[in-house]
Amino acid sequence: MSENPQLKVILERIETRERELASQAEQLRARIEELTRQLGEFDAESENLRITRKTLLTLPAPSPTSEPERPDIPDHPAYPQILTALADAGRPMRARDLCQALDLPILPKNTEGIRSKLKRLVSRGILTEAEPGLFTRPGA
């Protein structure tokens, strides 16, 4: 080759441009690898979701619960105590019996207070009155 200065400048520019392009191409290849990895993760997660949906759709519908949902218990500490005493006794109880179980003095005000709470629980479907004045949990 001749020692043509113009040709030497052009060749240096070409080399510089080749290095720039090689660097950019390497950056793009690295980016493509990263995107390919991310795409693989997205595809795997989508497949897992598809399988989960398919599995859930093949499951039988749950059978209805044997006990219907009960309304909320009134917000007073005596109500859970009454329900616990009834559950512990395992039998229908009268207001007087519950006063004894709750260590309350057998006074008309206490008996009537408990009876009122028992009636409220009956009206909400939490308890039943097996016979007048005799209270129990449903199904007990």
Side-chain angles (χ1 to χ4, degrees):
M1 250 206 249
S2 67
E3 292 290 322
N4 184 344
Q6 291 176 341
L7 183 60
K8 189 174 184 180
V9 170
I10 292 172
L11 290 174
E12 286 175 2
R13 285 184 180 168
I14 289 174
E15 279 184 44
T16 302
R17 183 65 182 145
E18 283 177 332
R19 281 193 300 274
E20 290 172 355
L21 290 173
S23 174
Q24 290 174 352
E26 186 57 36
Q27 290 174 2
L28 285 174
R29 282 186 192 92
R31 183 70 180 137
I32 288 170
E33 285 178 21
E34 174 63 18
L35 290 173
T36 302
R37 184 191 63 75
Q38 287 178 352
L39 181 61
E41 289 173 2
F42 292 152
D43 287 343
E45 186 175 349
S46 292
E47 180 65 13
N48 288 341
L49 291 172
R50 187 189 67 73
I51 291 168
T52 301
R53 178 188 300 112
K54 184 178 178 182
T55 302
L56 288 174
L57 290 174
T58 60
L59 293 176
S63 60
T65 58
S66 60
E67 188 175 315
E69 287 188 35
R70 294 189 316 211
D72 290 332
I73 297 171
D75 188 30
H76 187 278
Y79 290 99
Q81 292 171 350
I82 290 169
L83 293 173
T84 301
L86 276 169
D88 290 346
R91 61 177 173 78
M93 296 179 80
R94 298 193 180 280
R96 179 181 174 91
D97 300 330
L98 277 162
C99 284
Q100 287 177 333
L102 298 173
D103 293 326
L104 295 173
I106 308 299
L107 299 173
K109 69 176 189 169
N110 292 337
T111 306
E112 289 307 314
I114 293 293
R115 184 176 286 111
S116 171
K117 288 175 177 57
L118 290 166
K119 293 282 189 179
R120 184 169 293 123
L121 291 171
V122 168
S123 72
R124 292 182 178 213
I126 298 171
L127 294 180
T128 59
E129 194 169 3
E131 60 182 60
L134 194 61
F135 300 90
T136 186
R137 296 174 60 126

